[in-house]
Amino acid sequence: MMGTIHKTGCVLCAQNCGLEVEVENNRIVKVKPDKSNARSEGYFCRKGMNIAYHQHNADRLKYPLKKVGDKFERISWDQAIDEIATKLKSIIGQYGPRSFAYMGGGGQGCHFEAAFGVRLMRGLGSQYQYNALAQEFAGAFWVCGRTHGKQYLHDGPDVHNTDVLLTFGWNGMQSHQIPQAPRQLQRLSKDPDKVLIVVDPRLSETAKIANIHLPIRPGTDALLIKAMISIILKEGWENQDYLANRTSGFDQVKSYFENFDARAAVKICELDFDQVREVARLYATRKSSLRYDLGIFMGRHSGLNSYLIVILQSICGRLCMPGGNIIPGHMMPLGSHTDERDPKVWRTVTTNSFPVCGAFPPNVIQEEILSDHPERLRAVFVTGLNPLRSYADTTAYEKAFQRLDLLVTAEIAMTETAALSHYVLPSRTGYESWDGTFFPMTYPGIYFQMRRPIIEPDGEQLEQGEIDLLLADKLGLIPPIPESLYQAAYESHAAFAKALMEYAMTEPKALKSMPFILGKTLGKAMGSVHLAALWGMLQVAPKSFHENAARAGYTPGPTLGEEIFQKIVDHPEGIWVGKVDPEKSFAEIKTKDGKIDLYIPELLDELKSIEVTREEAALVMPPQFPLILMAGRHISTNANTLMRDPAWNEGKRACTLAMHPEDSQVLNLKDGQQVKVTTEAGSEEIELEITETARKGHVVIPHGFGMVYNGVKYGANVNRLTKNTHRDQFGTPMHRFVPCRVEAV
Ligand SMILES: Nc1nc2c(c(=O)[nH]1)N[C@H]1C(S)=C(S)[C@@H](COP(=O)(O)OP(=O)(O)OC[C@H]3O[C@@H](n4cnc5c(=O)[nH]c(N)nc54)[C@H](O)[C@@H]3O)O[C@H]1N2
Ligand SMILES: Nc1nc2c(c(=O)[nH]1)N[C@H]1C(S)=C(S)[C@@H](COP(=O)(O)OP(=O)(O)OC[C@H]3O[C@@H](n4cnc5c(=O)[nH]c(N)nc54)[C@H](O)[C@@H]3O)O[C@H]1N2
Ligand code: SF4
Ligand SMILES: [Mo]
């Protein structure tokens, strides 16, 4: 019998490529790339091809569970929600709202949960949202808040129109991070008129195809970028016009780049000065763009490097310019603007950490739980992320989470975090729910896809948003809803819209609980709280969204939301919902004067400290840890922790320690043998892989492994080797610079 073919999308990374999935007997049996998906255009990678391993595996959860002794017992939804709500109320009643944290609202494929989870947290009076965003982008987004005016205004390269693409710490051939990345990177590299420049210490898959590879010494990007800026200024390659009209504050920072010994700096980076000068010239004088990623974000001077990059872009006039870096349009901004200088924005009680884009850094939460502060964290609600594998210092996490009065995890699988929890709530997967993401990956078009359920849940799993809703309801966070609103939901969207408006005018609490109200009423009629949230979101879309939608052919005005909603539902492959005006790129900059603000006083000391002698001393490795560990690598055999069943990697060396042949000779180690890696956080054993693609003095372990599946541990958990205190001023872990040693087992 032939199965049914469904158009859907991949939930394993931020590209969410279109997939055509064949479902037979409620199982995914075949996967092909979807050519009709406007964003991925028939591209997918081996992860998407293997999506069935994510959907169907032995760790999937079916029923609510409660920890009794050291075992889980199945309980009813009623009992679970009842008990959790009672405990939450009592903890918050006794210790205040600061005792509660919500870890969620991130993720690669399912963003609708966030609308509900954030409301639940806010309803309980807390601001503590923790997620993965704040262990990678915090520094960069914080800088955007200052330079671009809002933390969620992050720019990316206009890849289709650029002539020179300069990349730092990004391995797009494996990690993607832009649509159809391998196709785009190969196109640039093969075009004789275009240049792909890769700054990466290793011979990464992307470095291999680069036209110019700068094999930078790990951790020295700040020296390199500062040198590039000073070379450009010295040569007079800067764009005076742009600096004068589009930026402010440059005069206050210019002096930091004058009299800077670029030649000596480049030497510390172990790069060739003439080559660096050529790269600076290409970037400054051609139609150029740039992209940087975890090699910078999770490296030394992460926030400062983001700042330096905005300065580099600005002196060359490459920001908000065609073929340069542009700020893509969005259906929904990815996070909110939370300026830590605003007294209403919370700081954590123990580490004094602040949120960026609404997210607190998950690498401080251990200290926030383990502290003696009276308002310390006591209750944590986790959804859609797996701290026990994903964030720094698993050992510290275990200790901290075991101290909690209440740990609740809503999950699709029995993860390491779920296993430690008091209650585990079964969630539907991205293929059992209506769900989608808001990653702004295209330009000038704005793309959106709402995936529909294509697999029937085989237990009592609920949409994640509905789980949050049940909790909010039991906690009394949802105002009373009139019967007429429930009824209108079954009549028509127009009748419902009218009834909702009337209700919102009489019920002051309605606005703040909107996702819950929509979920309880329209969600019931539609059979999905997520779908109801999408409808609601489109009804209240801001003016800028209407303008973008009009450019894509929709009719602005009161019917626009309904028109787009219907089209989204009618097109499972996704649609263009809008188009930004490339002529008005600068309008995206939201600083007071509309100019890029290059003056960030908080970073000037660090900027000054980037000079040869100090950096040289800081880079010396301690004798007990002579090697640099790159703790985490985003390669084709992992998808963060979204693949639990190792069978999809059968026959591959998926999790190894990569080491350069010369280092292995000195240590007398052989390819394939087990080695022990030790850092300040602990030790892990792992198989050694000797490879020319590694760099001398630099070893690499991918993240996301060390999970136990069917009783067997597969690979090493790299976060046993990362200390949560090895982080910067934004709480971002320095996973790309972990001092370590390697020995034979
Ligand atoms: N296959 C796969 N793809 C993924 C994911 C996955 O788990 N698997 N996860 C997704 C997610 S959530 C993310 S955030 C992205 C991350 O995507 P990337 O940031 O591309 O991932 P990394 O593997 O960390 O690659 C960063 C590169 O930085 C280099 N690097 C290390 N140290 C330094 C340094 O000091 N300076 C410089 N200039 N470079 C350095 C590394 O050698 C590496 O090639 O990947 C996404 N895509
Ligand atoms: N040392 C080191 N650690 C790293 C990295 C590194 O480079 N080095 N990379 C980091 C990066 S960039 C990232 S983004 C993080 C990612 O780490 P996390 O934020 O933990 O995200 P995922 O690994 O994607 O885990 C998602 C979890 O959500 C669950 N899930 C999936 N879909 C649903 C759903 O619909 N509902 C619910 N309730 N649950 C669902 C999955 O089962 C999984 O357990 O990992 C980080 N960890
Ligand atoms: S993992 Fe990312 S690049 Fe690969 S198919 Fe899925 S969405 Fe596309
Ligand atoms: Mo990430």
Side-chain angles (χ1 to χ4, degrees), residues 265-492:
V266 167
K267 204 165 164 202
I268 305 291
C269 303
E270 296 172 2
L271 294 172
D272 175 69
F273 182 78
D274 292 330
Q275 205 176 25
V276 169
R277 187 179 171 280
E278 177 59 8
V279 165
R281 191 188 65 82
L282 284 167
Y283 182 76
T285 58
R286 297 276 306 269
K287 191 162 72 167
S288 63
S289 62
L290 59 78
R291 187 168 196 291
Y292 58 114
D293 213 315
L294 297 186
I296 294 269
F297 294 145
M298 290 182 172
R300 300 176 67 240
H301 305 297
S302 166
L304 180 72
N305 277 326
S306 296
Y307 180 33
L308 283 166
I309 281 173
V310 180
I311 296 175
L312 176 66
Q313 291 173 313
S314 297
I315 61 166
C316 300
R318 302 311 307 147
L319 202 44
C320 298
M321 296 299 275
N325 276 53
I326 39 72
I327 298 173
H330 51 247
M331 168 117 156
M332 182 71 171
L334 213 59
S336 52
H337 179 68
T338 44
D339 191 325
E340 78 288 353
R341 293 168 300 185
D342 176 348
K344 289 205 272 307
V345 172
W346 280 10
R347 286 183 179 248
T348 62
V349 294
T350 304
T351 61
N352 199 33
S353 303
F354 53 83
V356 178
C357 261
F360 284 86
N363 302 309
V364 308
I365 205 167
Q366 300 99 323
E367 284 159 85
E368 299 297 335
I369 296 167
L370 292 169
S371 95
D372 293 328
H373 196 285
E375 286 185 288
R376 70 175 182 86
L377 280 179
R378 290 165 194 271
V380 176
F381 178 47
V382 180
T383 88
L385 42 85
N386 186 8
L388 266 282
R389 275 303 168 275
S390 299
Y391 308 141
D393 210 334
T394 305
T395 310
Y397 254 110
E398 284 167 345
K399 198 170 160 213
F401 274 14
Q402 273 156 8
R403 193 191 184 201
L404 287 171
D405 298 347
L406 182 64
L407 177 61
V408 179
T409 298
E411 251 294 348
I412 62 172
M414 183 52 87
T415 62
E416 294 68 21
T417 307
L420 268 193
S421 305
H422 300 108
Y423 294 89
V424 178
L425 304 175
S427 175
R428 293 188 184 182
T429 65
Y431 301 99
E432 296 161 352
S433 317
W434 285 93
D435 216 329
T437 71
F438 300 104
F439 289 117
M441 290 288 168
T442 49
Y443 179 86
I446 305 169
Y447 170 83
F448 185 75
Q449 175 186 36
M450 190 74 178
R451 293 185 317 271
R452 59 192 55 210
I454 57 171
I455 305 273
E456 282 284 322
D458 56 355
E460 294 178 2
Q461 301 96 323
L462 297 176
E463 273 188 346
Q464 183 56 51
E466 184 163 7
I467 300 176
D468 302 345
L469 190 158
L470 290 176
L471 275 171
D473 213 6
K474 190 54 91 180
L475 285 158
L477 302 177
I478 310 178
I481 298 172
E483 196 47 42
S484 54
L485 193 61
Y486 285 101
Q487 279 164 10
Y490 286 90
E491 263 171 58
S492 69

Side-chain angles (χ1 to χ4, degrees), residues 108 135-136 294 634 640:
Q108 306 294 320
Q135 50 94 60
E136 45 192 337
L294 297 186
H634 299 243
N640 294 335

Side-chain angles (χ1 to χ4, degrees), residues 438-590:
F438 300 104
F439 289 117
M441 290 288 168
T442 49
Y443 179 86
I446 305 169
Y447 170 83
F448 185 75
Q449 175 186 36
M450 190 74 178
R451 293 185 317 271
R452 59 192 55 210
I454 57 171
I455 305 273
E456 282 284 322
D458 56 355
E460 294 178 2
Q461 301 96 323
L462 297 176
E463 273 188 346
Q464 183 56 51
E466 184 163 7
I467 300 176
D468 302 345
L469 190 158
L470 290 176
L471 275 171
D473 213 6
K474 190 54 91 180
L475 285 158
L477 302 177
I478 310 178
I481 298 172
E483 196 47 42
S484 54
L485 193 61
Y486 285 101
Q487 279 164 10
Y490 286 90
E491 263 171 58
S492 69
H493 289 175
F496 180 76
K498 189 163 163 277
L500 186 64
M501 197 118 83
E502 281 161 14
Y503 169 57
M505 284 196 311
T506 53
E507 174 52 67
K509 291 205 195 97
L511 219 56
K512 287 203 162 153
S513 316
M514 201 40 93
F516 297 136
I517 292 162
L518 285 163
K520 278 187 83 169
T521 54
L522 191 61
K524 197 142 204 196
M526 287 176 161
S528 161
V529 303
H530 292 174
L531 196 57
L534 172 69
W535 181 86
M537 206 183 94
L538 288 165
Q539 304 311 306
V540 295
K543 188 168 153 258
S544 56
F545 181 79
H546 280 242
E547 287 164 6
N548 288 336
R551 228 168 269 122
Y554 299 95
T555 318
T559 56
L560 180 107
E562 191 63 41
E563 184 190 357
I564 296 187
F565 177 79
Q566 280 309 333
K567 193 162 175 200
I568 288 172
V569 172
D570 291 343
H571 288 270
E573 76 280 18
I575 57 165
W576 296 112
V577 293
K579 192 178 170 195
V580 300
D581 181 355
E583 301 296 310
K584 288 191 184 150
S585 212
F586 248 94
E588 295 297 331
I589 298 290
K590 292 290 184 278

